[in-house]
Amino acid sequence: MLFRDVGKDVIAIPQPSHAWLSGQLLRAWGNGIFAPVIPYEEVCLGAELHDIGWLSWEAAPTLNPQTARPHSFQELGAAIHTSLWTEGVRRALAFGRYPALLVSLHADTIYGSLFNFAKAPPEDAALVRRFLDDQHRFQSACVEAMTDNPRYATILSPQAIERNRLLVAAVDRMSLQIGWGLTSEACIPNVPTIGEARTEIRLHSLSGDPAELVVDPWPFAADHVEVVCEGRLLRGRFTDERAMRQALDNAETVTIPTVLRHP
């Protein structure tokens, strides 16, 4: 779950809705500067599914007593989030090996950028390392299983797979900024362009309105892109988890449209 501040309240956006937004961005991707997505359907689906492991948690979110709100995705301990990622990869496999491969690879992205092995408790660091070892074995098995499939035979090189991992990482970061309600500027690093080239994408709001953002350089095919996600307007703070869940169940549904424009 992630939050967009609305005065003293927040719009609570479930992780799968944020992931849906990632998929919308990738489905619009590609032009003369940014190469198209290959294989298109599988990579777009992988982006849409990258947080599928959160489905059960989002149905019964836990209360963070320090914030008096549901835990955000950044606030859960290693035992919980490695379990969620394991479940997510398992669920993604029901859609296909390539989408599941990308969900698994996104775990490498997340732990590589957000988890500090040096500062984590030793037991948490060991748990995450075991989880990543399991995922690396799964990734190797996926690639091996697809090698003789003519659809994938030419796009299973380490460079091609790394490109798609970075694409999912880029739209994940972009969709987080959109969900949080960007009113200034954010930079998305290491975005693939053509071949093995990379660049940085800037998102910024000229007027301070998060509903309309400028993207530079422009990675999409159309001259503007409209995306949408959904959340719930959560009012107040809570000391009781059951009351917090009830408030979420009864909360007003909020649709969050965003227009992305060429600079």
Side-chain angles (χ1 to χ4, degrees):
M1 189 171 289
L2 58 136
F3 304 108
R4 177 183 287 206
D5 292 328
V6 182
K8 295 182 179 180
D9 304 316
V10 292
I11 300 174
I13 302 172
Q15 292 297 116
S17 186
H18 141 74
W20 174 41
L21 179 55
S22 301
Q24 293 172 58
L25 293 169
L26 207 49
R27 287 186 178 280
W29 201 269
N31 54 35
I33 300 173
F34 292 82
V37 179
I38 301 172
Y40 179 80
E41 287 296 341
E42 289 90 332
V43 180
C44 292
L45 181 58
E48 291 166 353
L49 294 177
H50 79 257
D51 277 337
I52 194 174
W54 286 80
L55 284 173
S56 297
W57 187 94
E58 293 283 358
T62 52
L63 176 67
N64 183 341
Q66 295 181 331
T67 64
R69 284 176 174 152
H71 284 98
S72 78
F73 72 96
Q74 297 164 311
E75 296 168 347
L76 294 171
I80 295 175
H81 54 66
T82 54
S83 175
L84 294 175
W85 274 108
T86 300
E87 180 64 16
V89 173
R90 184 180 299 115
R91 285 178 164 173
L93 190 57
F95 292 83
R97 290 191 180 276
Y98 204 98
L101 171 64
L102 291 177
V103 174
S104 178
L105 286 166
H106 196 61
D108 282 307
T109 301
I110 295 300
Y111 286 106
S113 60
L114 295 179
F115 190 82
N116 190 323
F117 285 92
K119 293 184 178 180
E123 60 274 18
D124 285 356
L127 177 62
V128 172
R129 288 192 178 96
R130 288 196 300 272
F131 163 77
L132 290 175
D133 286 343
D134 287 342
Q135 292 307 307
H136 295 157
R137 284 190 288 270
F138 172 80
Q139 293 160 19
S140 296
C142 278
V143 172
E144 183 177 357
M146 290 186 287
T147 299
D148 294 331
N149 186 325
R151 180 172 175 83
Y152 305 115
T154 62
I155 53 172
L156 289 176
S157 69
Q159 294 81 5
I161 292 171
E162 175 67 359
R163 172 185 173 79
N164 287 335
R165 181 189 72 82
L166 291 174
L167 281 174
V168 174
V171 294
D172 176 42
R173 285 175 178 257
M174 292 174 71
S175 62
L176 285 173
Q177 294 295 337
I178 293 169
W180 284 327
L182 183 66
T183 58
S184 54
E185 180 173 295
C187 294
I188 313 299
N190 213 20
V191 183
T193 55
I194 301 292
E196 295 186 38
R198 309 284 184 262
T199 192
E200 180 179 85
I201 286 179
R202 293 184 302 113
L203 282 73
H204 63 280
S205 172
L206 295 177
S207 63
D209 181 1
E212 189 162 331
L213 301 176
V214 174
V215 183
D216 185 24
W218 183 249
F220 304 112
D223 61 359
H224 76 282
V225 173
E226 298 181 22
V227 295
V228 65
C229 65
E230 188 170 285
R232 288 167 286 178
L233 182 59
L234 184 62
R235 300 185 184 276
R237 306 272 181 163
F238 304 87
T239 58
D240 179 76
E241 187 170 82
R242 184 175 180 181
M244 178 269 292
R245 290 175 176 173
Q246 188 65 46
L248 266 177
D249 288 343
N250 296 332
E252 173 190 353
T253 297
V254 179
T255 301
I256 304 173
T258 306
V259 178
L260 307 178
R261 298 201 181 278
H262 198 286

